[in-house]
Amino acid sequence: MDSSPATAPGAPLADEENWRLTHLGRLLGHALRRFDERVLVLMARNVDVPLTLSNLAARGQVGAAHIHITRHLAVSGSRLTDLAQSAGMSKQAMADLVDQCEAWGLVTREPDPYDKRARVVMFTASGLHWLQAFRTAVSQAEAEFRQAVGTEVATVVALGLEAYAG
């Protein structure tokens, strides 16, 4: 049995517990959520985003999971299995997201010209407007990041993340 004293809820954490709040994985997760939230705010304000999609984003009904489709769907289209693998999601979870995005008019499923049993997920015309708004929002969010931490730090972070991910 552990003989260390129990910490009361809300009490300051001992130094040996602080690592759980400050390790790189947690910081990366917080940074990604903050970045994605900012991108969605910017997209909701973009006049080129179809009004229905802008309203969904403004009301918080479009979230980080939907950004996975925007980030990973090839402009030429992707099979569901490839899209799910690229986004690091299960095929079932991605199918649910695609269903939702299809209902919103962002994507459509078309027959795969190379495999009659398969379908390809493709951006609709509205989805391509959404993708362009995503590109614009990402550029602005990156510029805001550079302004917040400085150009040199932003460059080092980008290079480090690229090296680590690669």
Side-chain angles (χ1 to χ4, degrees), residues 5 38 43 55 67 75 126 151 164:
R38 182 64 181 146
M43 291 176 73
N55 287 335
I67 293 294
V75 174
S126 291
T151 302
Y164 183 69

Side-chain angles (χ1 to χ4, degrees), residues 18-156:
N18 283 337
W19 69 269
R20 294 176 56 207
L21 301 176
T22 59
H23 68 83
L24 187 57
R26 186 173 177 129
L27 295 173
L28 286 169
H30 285 307
L32 180 60
R33 279 189 296 282
R34 179 178 176 185
F35 190 86
D36 285 350
E37 287 169 5
R38 182 64 181 146
V39 165
L40 286 170
V41 165
L42 294 169
M43 291 176 73
R45 296 179 184 162
N46 188 316
V47 296
D48 294 326
V49 171
L51 187 57
T52 304
L53 295 173
S54 179
N55 287 335
L56 288 167
R59 292 194 320 260
Q61 292 182 309
V62 178
H66 301 96
I67 293 294
H68 281 317
I69 290 178
T70 310
R71 274 193 186 111
H72 298 283
L73 179 58
V75 174
S76 60
S78 302
R79 288 186 179 178
L80 186 67
T81 52
D82 297 332
L83 184 56
Q85 183 179 18
S86 176
M89 300 173 65
S90 71
K91 183 179 171 185
Q92 294 77 14
M94 183 55 76
D96 290 343
L97 281 174
V98 169
D99 287 344
Q100 201 169 41
C101 289
E102 191 171 28
W104 293 343
L106 277 175
V107 300
T108 186
R109 289 181 173 105
E110 302 291 332
D112 186 330
Y114 303 106
D115 183 350
K116 297 299 178 196
R117 300 166 296 160
R119 311 273 287 165
V120 176
V121 180
M122 313 237 349
F123 283 111
T124 62
S126 291
L128 290 172
H129 288 293
W130 176 263
L131 181 61
Q132 182 56 46
F134 178 72
R135 180 180 187 173
T136 301
V138 165
S139 292
Q140 183 172 340
E142 286 178 354
E144 291 171 2
F145 174 74
R146 281 190 301 280
Q147 184 178 9
V149 301
T151 302
E152 294 82 13
V153 170
T155 300
V156 169

